Amino acid sequence: MSERIKAAIRTIPDYPSAGIQFRDITTLLEDPDALRHTIDTFVERYREQDIQWVAGIEARGFIFGTVIAYELGAGFIPLRKKGKLPGDTIEQCYALEYGEDCIEMHTNVIKEGDNVLLVDDLIATGGTAEAAVQLLRKEGGKIIESCFVIDLPDLGGRKKLDAIDCPSYCICEFEGE
Ligand code: AMP
């Protein structure tokens, strides 16, 4: 099944800059069977895990995360780019190749010890997911796992999550950057 899902993902070379192979999930979203298999794969994996919250990383983590939350009977928490959330927030910044980026979440949503599933479309260097895990833990969440449709193993993101004791799961992987 993961081969069927992988085959629905389009690769666009040199986007958004030269040398990047952009793994485009819009073609997966356009394919009803591949989309259903993707959601079902996650939901079946986490159905018995007593998840209270699914946290999705802006923006493509929202697409998968909300449906997974609905199916698991969990709430959905958006982890957003800085300055987008209207209530009280905490932020976590992380290094990019040049400069840094920050993500934010609303405070006082998670209760201490609530089980949280983190979702994004893709893990590359793992910087974004690591910041997300740190945010959710600061708010008292217990991360059951972080899950992604796509892993780029050559960029080592899952090792970064291993190093902070956060288990991860990916449906498929692509070699290279
Ligand atoms: P990172 O923090 O390096 O793991 O980057 C992860 C974020 O960047 C995810 O939210 C992805 O959507 C996006 N991203 C990074 N590399 C790619 C790529 N090659 N194709 C598509 N999206 C990417």
Side-chain angles (χ1 to χ4, degrees):
M1 204 56 81
S2 67
E3 283 307 310
R4 170 77 181 82
I5 294 166
K6 183 173 177 177
I9 297 163
R10 170 170 66 173
T11 297
I12 303 200
D14 300 319
Y15 181 89
S17 52
I20 305 282
Q21 302 266 54
F22 191 85
R23 308 302 177 176
D24 176 24
I25 52 117
T26 64
T27 44
L28 186 159
L29 301 175
E30 291 159 6
D31 178 334
D33 285 336
L35 177 59
R36 177 172 297 279
H37 290 321
T38 303
I39 299 296
D40 288 351
T41 300
F42 289 129
V43 170
E44 278 159 31
R45 184 173 175 86
Y46 300 111
R47 198 183 289 287
E48 307 301 330
Q49 301 277 328
D50 192 27
I51 306 271
Q52 278 86 48
W53 300 104
V54 176
I57 299 174
E58 185 170 356
R60 281 163 280 170
F62 295 177
I63 298 169
F64 300 102
T66 312
V67 186
I68 297 166
Y70 174 86
E71 288 289 336
L72 294 177
F76 178 79
I77 298 174
L79 305 180
R80 298 214 58 182
K81 309 232 161 92
K82 195 178 170 69
K84 301 282 186 186
L85 289 168
D88 291 337
T89 56
I90 53 164
E91 71 171 21
Q92 182 73 47
C93 298
Y94 54 98
L96 299 174
E97 197 176 351
Y98 303 102
E100 65 168 22
D101 222 339
C102 302
I103 53 170
E104 292 183 335
M105 67 178 282
H106 277 143
T107 52
N108 303 316
V109 175
I110 298 175
K111 289 202 303 295
E112 189 69 36
D114 279 353
N115 291 333
V116 181
L117 174 66
L118 176 65
V119 180
D120 202 0
D121 67 324
L122 179 148
I123 183 163
T125 66
T128 316
E130 182 183 39
V133 169
Q134 286 161 343
L135 263 190
L136 293 162
R137 285 181 174 164
K138 268 191 215 160
E139 282 298 296
K142 177 171 185 260
I143 318 271
I144 297 299
E145 197 157 73
S146 54
C147 66
F148 308 86
V149 181
I150 304 160
D151 180 25
L152 305 183
D154 296 343
L155 294 178
R158 295 182 73 184
K159 294 204 182 85
K160 204 173 266 173
L161 294 182
D162 288 345
I164 57 167
D165 291 320
C166 178
S168 60
Y169 169 73
C170 301
I171 293 178
C172 63
E173 51 183 54
F174 288 86
E175 285 180 8
E177 302 200 353

